[in-house]
Amino acid sequence: MAPIFSTRPLYLQLRDVLTERIATGEWKAGVAIPNEGDLAREFGVSPGTMRKALGMMEGERLVDRRQGRGTFVKDQGSEDRTIRFSNIRGADGMRISGAVTQAHITEGTANDLECARLRLRVQDPVYRVRRVHSHEDRTFMIEDASMPAVLFPGLADSNGHSHRIAELAQQHGMLLGKAEERISIDQASPDIAEALGIASATPILLLDRVIETLGGRPVEWRLGRCHLASDSYLAEMR
Amino acid sequence: MAPIFSTRPLYLQLRDVLTERIATGEWKAGVAIPNEGDLAREFGVSPGTMRKALGMMEGERLVDRRQGRGTFVKDQGSEDRTIRFSNIRGADGMRISGAVTQAHITEGTANDLECARLRLRVQDPVYRVRRVHSHEDRTFMIEDASMPAVLFPGLADSNGHSHRIAELAQQHGMLLGKAEERISIDQASPDIAEALGIASATPILLLDRVIETLGGRPVEWRLGRCHLASDSYLAEMR
DNA sequence: TAGTGGTCTAGACCACAGA
DNA sequence: CTGTGGTCTAGACCACTAA
């Protein structure tokens, strides 16, 4: 197909269109999408080009492809996806997310740190939520998270919203990309120490994490105060 | 080409052969390799298949490909590659490796932890080396590293060997793949504290890292004791 | 201008899953 | 058995680089 309207590679344009169908929910989680051939015909491209677009989406973990079965939309709100941005692992090496007891969501305006991490301007509205993570009856992390309010319209008003970023993103038609986490050592303040069941001033991990959309826009900034005990933090490098 | 001798995908077989040429030094670092068409003819495959193999090698960071220029072998021993497995960053966000003052290499037999991390059997021979990392006149990390002796024949005998794992691997015809690092909090022992210029029992990061070859064989296990100060540890998640 | 990798096409056949 | 994605082929043309 001649690049009449855009010189951008066809397979990238295709990926964007197909990704949009997932983000909007036109293609639902867990459901098979049309096969390569049909999609290629629909868009008037050759099968190989469509294949390249779908392969790229598999790399972005938007779809699963399996020989003989088909191409399936991944569930972005599932447990897997929630755990994806937690590097804390139990003694068995499995990722831990932990049950969360939620304090209510509050609304406010961005402070300096929120502006820097979420790339906002001063006074931009944000939602804030505290999450307490427990695993096997032990509280191991207290999180204070902030999200740009523009991305989550009406979040504080209504009930029934999840506090988990993966579900929130799904509900608001956003797809999560990568995250960065800065790790340092902190001392537990009295209230944090009490919540974690440790002595005040015990050294703990300070986990400063920013999650971005697939497009690179910051979605959530979170400060986690974590007492590992027998668990461990595991980073992979490639 | 009919899969007479092997049912393994052609492009994987091609990747392995081409990778071997880099590992052995037949194709030297920084030098351009033959173009797609010539390689395809040499192996009697179609250009598209050769392209897939080369694309895979680019993903494994073995080569750089640039339109209009060619395909170039990456230098596995370069500064870039050394820093690749360090997640410590300065205030400017750049990765820090730091100058290393080397204590000499010693030989020994694997202890329990070395057996577990390097997948060795008890009493298997290992080389050990302590590295002291400094950045801008500050010592920030003390490393104790262990390597399976079978992979680095004659390492303790001769001089002139590097202590950097990237260079050592290159000299011994190995290509490095991924690494995993477990992070926890430790207290500085008196000798570590003195080396790091901090008070004894100051909380520090304990960095327990295993580097593997591209094939998944453990190459180096390292225990780093790290005092961050204004630097930070940065983990990426995808 | 010549040579490179990047994109795109239009098929073929194979391996695999499920009815 | 049918339909799926996986592999492989054999070209075409384009964008970029460097001489």
Side-chain angles (χ1 to χ4, degrees):
Chain A
M1 175 175 274
I4 301 174
F5 298 113
S6 169
T7 179
R8 195 148 166 268
L10 253 183
Y11 69 89
L12 289 179
Q13 300 181 49
L14 290 168
R15 177 200 59 172
D16 290 348
V17 173
L18 302 186
T19 296
E20 190 64 15
R21 289 192 180 176
I22 294 177
T24 61
E26 182 181 341
W27 283 343
K28 297 255 187 319
V31 176
I33 70 176
N35 68 50
E36 288 181 8
D38 288 348
L39 284 173
R41 270 183 291 279
E42 176 188 344
F43 289 96
V45 301
S46 87
T49 302
M50 183 53 71
R51 161 167 281 274
K52 185 157 184 175
L54 291 169
M56 181 162 277
M57 292 173 71
E58 189 176 30
E60 293 171 323
R61 290 180 262 211
L62 295 173
V63 295
D64 267 336
R65 315 194 73 201
R66 266 174 298 174
Q67 192 177 54
R69 301 237 301 137
T71 301
F72 299 83
V73 178
K74 280 207 171 192
D75 184 0
Q76 301 294 326
S78 72
E79 182 67 6
D80 278 15
R81 316 305 283 171
T82 303
I83 287 187
R84 175 172 156 215
F85 294 121
S86 170
N87 278 339
I88 297 165
R89 316 236 181 166
D92 57 358
M94 299 299 291
R95 283 180 198 270
I96 289 176
S97 157
V100 173
T101 62
Q102 176 192 11
H104 66 290
I105 296 175
T106 60
E107 201 167 358
T109 55
N111 59 35
D112 288 352
L113 214 41
E114 286 167 334
C115 286
R117 293 287 195 264
L118 296 173
R119 275 187 253 137
L120 297 176
R121 281 169 302 189
V122 277
Q123 303 294 320
D124 276 347
V126 295
Y127 291 121
R128 301 193 182 98
V129 58
R130 167 166 289 201
R131 309 189 193 102
V132 178
H133 288 257
S134 303
H135 181 63
E136 288 172 357
D137 288 335
R138 191 178 75 84
T139 295
F140 66 95
M141 181 160 62
I142 314 289
E143 287 187 338
D144 286 306
S146 306
M147 294 154 280
V150 269
L151 297 182
F152 302 92
L155 183 59
D157 307 331
S158 59
N159 284 328
H161 279 297
S162 170
H163 51 272
R164 289 154 69 182
I165 190 65
E167 285 177 22
L168 283 176
Q170 189 179 39
Q171 287 164 13
H172 290 81
M174 283 179 293
L175 296 168
L176 300 182
K178 67 184 174 80
E180 282 189 353
E181 188 155 64
R182 298 169 212 229
I183 303 169
S184 53
I185 296 179
D186 197 8
Q187 285 194 344
S189 64
D191 57 320
I192 295 289
E194 188 185 347
L196 291 173
I198 56 177
S200 189
T202 301
I204 55 175
L205 282 184
L206 188 65
L207 304 176
D208 175 327
R209 182 187 72 186
V210 176
I211 300 181
E212 295 181 355
T213 63
L214 261 186
R217 180 165 188 175
V219 170
E220 184 203 64
W221 168 54
R222 175 219 77 178
L223 219 54
R225 291 168 210 82
C226 178
H227 179 59
L228 281 176
S230 67
D231 302 331
S232 63
Y233 186 102
L234 200 153
E236 294 185 30
M237 314 167 200
R238 292 183 179 278
Chain B
M1 177 176 272
I4 301 174
F5 298 112
S6 168
T7 180
R8 195 147 166 269
L10 254 184
Y11 69 89
L12 289 179
Q13 301 180 48
L14 290 168
R15 178 201 57 172
D16 291 348
V17 173
L18 302 186
T19 297
E20 190 63 17
R21 290 192 179 175
I22 293 177
T24 60
E26 181 181 341
W27 283 344
K28 297 254 188 319
V31 176
I33 70 177
N35 69 49
E36 287 180 11
D38 287 349
L39 284 173
R41 272 183 290 279
E42 176 187 343
F43 289 96
V45 301
S46 87
T49 302
M50 183 53 71
R51 159 166 284 273
K52 186 157 184 175
L54 291 169
M56 182 162 276
M57 292 173 71
E58 188 176 32
E60 292 171 324
R61 290 182 261 211
L62 295 173
V63 295
D64 268 337
R65 313 194 73 200
R66 266 174 297 173
Q67 190 178 55
R69 301 238 301 138
T71 301
F72 300 82
V73 179
K74 279 206 170 193
D75 184 359
Q76 301 294 325
S78 71
E79 182 67 7
D80 277 14
R81 315 305 283 172
T82 303
I83 287 187
R84 176 172 155 215
F85 294 121
S86 170
N87 277 339
I88 297 164
R89 316 237 182 166
D92 56 358
M94 297 299 291
R95 283 179 197 270
I96 289 176
S97 158
V100 173
T101 62
Q102 176 192 12
H104 65 289
I105 294 175
T106 61
E107 203 168 356
T109 57
N111 59 35
D112 289 351
L113 214 40
E114 285 166 336
C115 287
R117 293 288 194 264
L118 297 173
R119 274 188 254 136
L120 297 175
R121 282 169 302 190
V122 279
Q123 302 295 320
D124 276 346
V126 295
Y127 291 122
R128 299 194 183 97
V129 58
R130 167 166 287 201
R131 309 189 194 103
V132 178
H133 288 257
S134 303
H135 181 63
E136 289 171 358
D137 288 337
R138 189 178 76 84
T139 295
F140 67 94
M141 183 160 61
I142 314 289
E143 288 186 338
D144 285 305
S146 306
M147 295 154 280
V150 268
L151 297 181
F152 302 91
L155 183 59
D157 307 332
S158 59
N159 284 327
H161 280 297
S162 170
H163 51 271
R164 290 155 68 180
I165 190 65
E167 284 177 21
L168 283 175
Q170 189 179 39
Q171 288 165 13
H172 289 82
M174 283 180 293
L175 296 168
L176 300 182
K178 68 185 175 75
E180 282 189 352
E181 187 155 66
R182 298 168 212 230
I183 303 170
S184 53
I185 297 180
D186 198 8
Q187 286 192 346
S189 64
D191 56 321
I192 293 291
E194 187 184 348
L196 291 174
I198 56 178
S200 189
T202 300
I204 55 174
L205 283 184
L206 189 64
L207 304 176
D208 175 325
R209 182 188 71 186
V210 176
I211 301 181
E212 294 181 355
T213 63
L214 260 186
R217 180 164 190 177
V219 169
E220 184 204 65
W221 169 54
R222 174 219 78 177
L223 219 54
R225 292 166 209 85
C226 178
H227 178 59
L228 281 177
S230 66
D231 301 331
S232 63
Y233 187 101
L234 200 152
E236 294 184 30
M237 314 168 200
R238 290 180 184 279

